Amino acid sequence: MTLSCKIFSTTLQGEAQDWFHTLPLHSIQNFSKLSLVFTKEYLSYRSIKKKSDHLFNMKKDPKESLPIYVKRFKAEKAKIVKCDDSIACSAFQKGLPANHPLFGKLIMGQNLTLADSYALAEKHSLWDEAKYS
């Protein structure tokens, strides 16, 4: 095993380091072979970077309550590094069915921020709870 391989092994931590120590003796002759084996092992672990427009795939399920949709949307948004709030706001609105009462309020509201949209959703949810209690 080359010096590069031994140095590489010192950079590994946790499961990757455990994996390295399970390699059969003399199975790796050079760094190219180690790179290939490591990439094959960990390629599926690579996280896929999502962009703000990923949020347009979010849709409120008809059986889902508004608070659950908001919670799920916020969780997805949190996974996006440097998420553009204006895109997120549009995606949040588009995720609601056109016949949902909140949809009209959000569309008619001019220059609503994402925080404004969340606040309206919360007010709408509280109003619904009071109405049906």
Side-chain angles (χ1 to χ4, degrees):
M1 188 178 294
T2 66
L3 181 60
S4 300
C5 295
K6 291 178 183 181
I7 292 171
F8 175 74
S9 71
T10 64
T11 66
L12 300 175
Q13 297 177 354
E15 289 181 35
Q17 191 174 52
D18 293 343
W19 166 84
F20 180 82
H21 291 296
T22 63
L23 291 172
L25 285 176
H26 309 296
S27 63
I28 306 293
Q29 290 79 32
N30 56 47
F31 190 73
S32 294
K33 172 79 173 176
L34 177 60
S35 297
L36 179 66
V37 171
F38 182 81
T39 303
K40 282 183 179 179
E41 179 69 22
Y42 286 97
L43 187 60
S44 63
Y45 291 94
R46 195 181 101 225
S47 61
I48 299 169
K49 293 182 181 178
K50 296 178 181 176
K51 296 180 181 178
S52 299
D53 61 354
H54 159 74
L55 295 173
F56 282 102
N57 296 324
M58 303 273 313
K59 303 287 181 218
K60 181 187 172 298
D61 187 281
K63 297 175 185 173
E64 181 178 46
S65 71
L66 186 57
I68 297 298
Y69 169 65
V70 171
K71 184 177 180 178
R72 193 167 56 86
F73 189 90
K74 285 180 176 181
E76 279 301 307
K77 181 186 177 290
K79 295 176 186 176
I80 300 170
V81 178
K82 296 181 182 176
C83 185
D84 184 297
D85 269 6
S86 63
I87 292 173
C89 188
S90 294
F92 178 74
Q93 292 172 6
K94 298 284 185 202
L96 291 170
N99 64 349
H100 193 281
L102 181 60
F103 181 81
K105 290 178 185 176
L106 292 175
I107 295 300
M108 297 306 288
Q110 294 183 357
N111 300 326
L112 287 178
T113 64
L114 186 57
D116 295 335
S117 297
Y118 288 156
L120 276 173
E122 186 175 332
K123 283 182 187 177
H124 191 274
S125 295
L126 292 173
W127 181 78
D128 270 356
E129 285 177 18
K131 183 174 134 183
Y132 296 112
S133 296

